[in-house]
Amino acid sequence: MNHTEVVVIGGGQAGLAVGYHLRRLGLDFVILDAQPTPGGAWQHTWDSLHLFSPAAHSSLPGRLMPPQPGETYPEAAHVVTYLTDYEQRYELPVVRPVHVEAVHRDGEFLRVETDSGTWQVGAVVSATGTWSRPFIPAVPGRTEFKGTQLHTVEYRSPTDFTGRRVIVVGGGNSGAQIAADLAYDTDLTWVTLREPRYLPDDIDGRALFDHATARRRALDEGRTDTGGVASLGDIVAVPPVRAARDAGLLKAQPMFARLTAAGVEWSDGMTAEADAIVWCTGFRPALSHLAPLGLRGPRGHIPTTGTQALGEPRLHLLGYGDWTGPASATLIGVGRPAREAARALADFLNRPR
Ligand code: FAD
């Protein structure tokens, strides 16, 4: 049995950001990460993915992300390099690959069971992200389709689909970016639940973060809700999306009613044949390791106040989405809730700050 004050589950950006603050506060902790190498989900994105904010606006606490030469909006590989450097620079105690299987209550402690041993700890920060839980909606006929079906997490490059008939499903950033990626070399059909809503071209991730922060402040001060970032639109018009849209290559079709053996069929009887369907339909939080604590609330989330689980004060949740802090599932947004979580843990464990 291993012992430490805090176990952080997940060594992506959220786990590293809270590690930075736990280190500053002098707590004993370890970060357990299931990946064999640093970088969290950024290691697994498609080849052409670029951030929707410049480097300086995609930074974790303590260290600015350096710009990527020749790119205003850095590539995913640049983020992996930054996160690798970050954990080395701050000597964060990441142990990998370690997969956490379950967290149990154990008297005054929590017991963290993994595929490489057990930890008995005073508190846990869960920062496992969403990438390992891709979501595909239950559309009729999904098993009838004879072509290839894949989710965002499996998509890599348009060269895998050159000359083929591809249907991309999803009107968010992943759907728009992957549709733009495929628009030139494939016979593309882009399907969205509602008409695509682009943010104004001059708005990128910086403005989204400012909006989320202003909303948090308004709510904290009891003022009128300014609306989530979704009130601005769904799609950041990053340069490749803008180029494909302006070339008339991103005409969206409404959602189809069912899949058939050869493709898809709309409710009015119209059909489209396809070789492949790419489901860009989102993710769910990866929380199965917390199931023994019995904390699951509506929509698959665990109810929290700030980052602290309402039903278990020794558990904090970080990243995932706005429900654990405004923009906490982004590089720049996770710093503040990470700091608050670390401070709350120091208080909880009676550590002087
Ligand atoms: P992850 O990066 O997923 O890290 C979680 C880590 O926990 C992983 O290493 C995982 O293996 C590990 N793990 C999971 N379960 C366990 C377990 N049971 N035991 C041990 N380890 C476990 N954000 C921006 O700021 N700018 C952008 O431009 C941007 N673009 C995005 C584009 C796409 C397509 C997507 C999907 C997201 C984008 N984001 C962007 C959002 C966000 O920054 C990422 O989703 C980010 O990876 C979330 O970080 P995380 O640390 O919470 O989770």
Side-chain angles (χ1 to χ4, degrees), residues 153-221:
V153 298
E154 294 153 309
Y155 175 74
R156 285 291 162 272
S157 154
T159 55
D160 297 333
F161 301 94
T162 306
R164 293 168 70 193
R165 300 162 299 180
V166 185
I167 297 177
V168 173
V169 186
N173 284 298
S174 307
Q177 287 190 30
I178 290 177
D181 212 26
L182 290 164
Y184 301 90
D185 301 321
T186 70
D187 178 358
L188 170 73
T189 304
W190 184 30
V191 172
T192 59
L193 263 186
R194 58 182 178 190
E195 193 59 30
R197 298 188 318 144
Y198 295 97
L199 284 104
D201 286 1
D202 58 343
I203 289 195
D204 63 19
R206 286 171 286 196
L208 293 179
F209 176 68
D210 291 346
H211 187 83
T213 308
R215 182 193 196 199
R216 177 76 273 145
R217 205 167 291 141
L219 292 175
D220 288 350
E221 293 169 4

Side-chain angles (χ1 to χ4, degrees), residues 105 109-110 122 293 295 303 308-316 348:
R105 293 189 182 89
F109 299 104
L110 292 173
L293 300 174
L295 300 169
Q308 189 176 37
L310 275 180
E312 176 47 80
R314 296 170 291 186
L315 173 67
H316 287 252
F348 185 77

Side-chain angles (χ1 to χ4, degrees), residues 10 12-14 33-35 41-42 46 51-52 98 100 128-129 131 329-331:
Q13 64 202 37
D33 186 39
Q35 303 289 312
W42 296 106
W46 62 92
L51 294 186
F52 48 64
V98 178
V100 173
T128 46
W131 195 256
T330 64
L331 284 152

